[in-house]
Amino acid sequence: PATNVWSAGQQLPITLQSAAVAVYNGDIFVAGGRIGAGDTGRATDEVWVLRSGAAEWTKAPPLLGARTAGTAVVVGSRMAVVGGASGGSSTSSLELLDLSQPAKWIRADFTLSTPRTGHVAAGVGGRVYVIGGTTQPTMAGITGLVEEVTIR
């Protein structure tokens, strides 16, 4: 591709919005999100991966539950998906996938103190930072709260 010019990439096999995205060893992971628009849309548990140099997206193990507007970060060889919304409620849960042997997600035995959607997150060292967001999927309850956790 030309420098500083957008070009088409490999299209996902589904239409999707508000998904969580993370990169590990050049592979792009897209987790959850919302399929469809308006009242007919729904959160999904699907996870897709575009392997470095691959020509198409493939399915990875699904999340343990559908969620949209969560965030994803990579800490070491683990991908963490945190927060988001499903069924009209914000969630505080965190799911982990070992990317060196991606068989299935596990739910962490710790959660955010405040359920959130529309937040941002960063993985730094062995820590996950969750910043801001809203406490309700309707975008009410905007917060500047920052939470952090060490992932082992």
Side-chain angles (χ1 to χ4, degrees):
T3 302
N4 298 326
V5 177
W6 287 99
S7 62
Q10 296 298 327
Q11 186 167 334
L12 274 168
I14 60 171
T15 57
L16 193 61
Q17 63 179 328
S18 300
V21 178
V23 177
Y24 176 72
N25 286 344
D27 298 340
I28 303 170
F29 289 83
V30 176
R34 185 175 175 84
I35 298 173
D39 292 339
T40 62
R42 63 175 174 80
T44 181
D45 64 353
E46 292 180 12
V47 179
W48 294 88
V49 60
L50 181 63
R51 302 273 179 210
S52 180
E56 62 185 40
W57 293 86
T58 56
K59 279 194 172 184
L63 294 166
L64 297 175
R67 72 173 74 204
T68 185
T71 52
V73 298
V74 173
V75 176
S77 65
R78 297 169 96 187
M79 180 171 147
V81 174
V82 61
S86 185
S89 298
S90 295
T91 181
S92 59
S93 69
L94 184 142
E95 296 182 27
L96 296 165
L97 180 67
D98 182 348
L99 296 171
S100 65
Q101 301 175 2
K104 71 177 210 171
W105 292 84
I106 60 167
R107 187 171 315 276
D109 58 1
F110 48 86
T111 62
L112 291 168
S113 64
T114 304
R116 292 188 248 175
T117 186
H119 54 281
V120 295
V124 180
R127 301 189 70 71
V128 173
Y129 295 84
V130 176
I131 304 161
T134 66
T135 57
Q136 301 170 23
T138 60
M139 300 309 232
I142 295 173
T143 181
L145 183 64
V146 175
E147 292 184 63
E148 61 184 272
V149 65
T150 299
I151 302 292
R152 298 201 196 299

